[in-house]
Amino acid sequence: MSDELLHTSLTPDQLRAALPVIDTTCTEVSSGQYLDLLGLGRPNSDLAQAPELIRFKTARYTVERPQHLGGALAGCATAVADACTAYALPIGEAFQPLDDLLGPVGDPAATGPPATDDFREGKCTVLMALAGRRPDPVQLRLLHALVGRPDLTGSRPTPYGSYWRPRVPGARSSV
């Protein structure tokens, strides 16, 4: 919600109810961005870090907090926010790993972002963590060579999608 809309279209009671949700959202987005930047540019085999990042950046910002904001604006009780959390966090946490998997193995025409985005940016994803835990030394060198390279583009012929299938057995079911 834009700051202008927030301060011009709400009643004083709605504004009072909405501001704590907005403040919490801003804090969580900042924390998620920090975690994202902290892990950029290098393969990371820490399976605990990716879900924490997903929780802050995707599950809360995209699914949970908009529901909390709607509830706050409607004057809902705390129990409604708790029910929204119980629904929203699992949905948000399930979405991101699938999106991360579709990036390198999906068709960019169907999925949107180029297959190289997570490699180029060196994103901390569940898929990257799994890849960092399983490859042999040759595969690990390939992973390190691909991750964090700013020159990678979606149109350049590379082994991105084919890298994951043989190197991360069961990636689809693991993610």
Side-chain angles (χ1 to χ4, degrees), residues 13 31-32 121 125 127 131:
D13 287 342
S31 297
E121 296 169 17
T125 67
L127 188 60

Side-chain angles (χ1 to χ4, degrees), residues 91-112:
I91 297 292
E93 290 171 1
F95 165 80
Q96 192 59 56
L98 178 59
D99 187 59
D100 294 341
L101 179 64
L102 289 175
V105 300
D107 175 7
T111 61

Side-chain angles (χ1 to χ4, degrees), residues 63-150:
V63 187
E64 180 189 30
R65 296 304 177 204
Q67 291 180 16
H68 285 180
L69 181 59
L73 293 174
C76 294
T78 304
V80 174
D82 293 343
C84 288
T85 295
Y87 168 79
L89 284 182
I91 297 292
E93 290 171 1
F95 165 80
Q96 192 59 56
L98 178 59
D99 187 59
D100 294 341
L101 179 64
L102 289 175
V105 300
D107 175 7
T111 61
T116 57
D117 277 2
D118 286 347
F119 284 100
R120 183 178 53 254
E121 296 169 17
K123 293 279 186 165
C124 175
T125 67
V126 172
L127 188 60
M128 290 283 194
L130 288 171
R133 286 176 166 224
R134 297 187 182 179
D136 65 33
V138 172
Q139 295 165 351
L140 190 56
R141 277 195 303 277
L142 175 59
L143 182 63
H144 280 271
L146 294 174
V147 172
R149 284 187 43 195

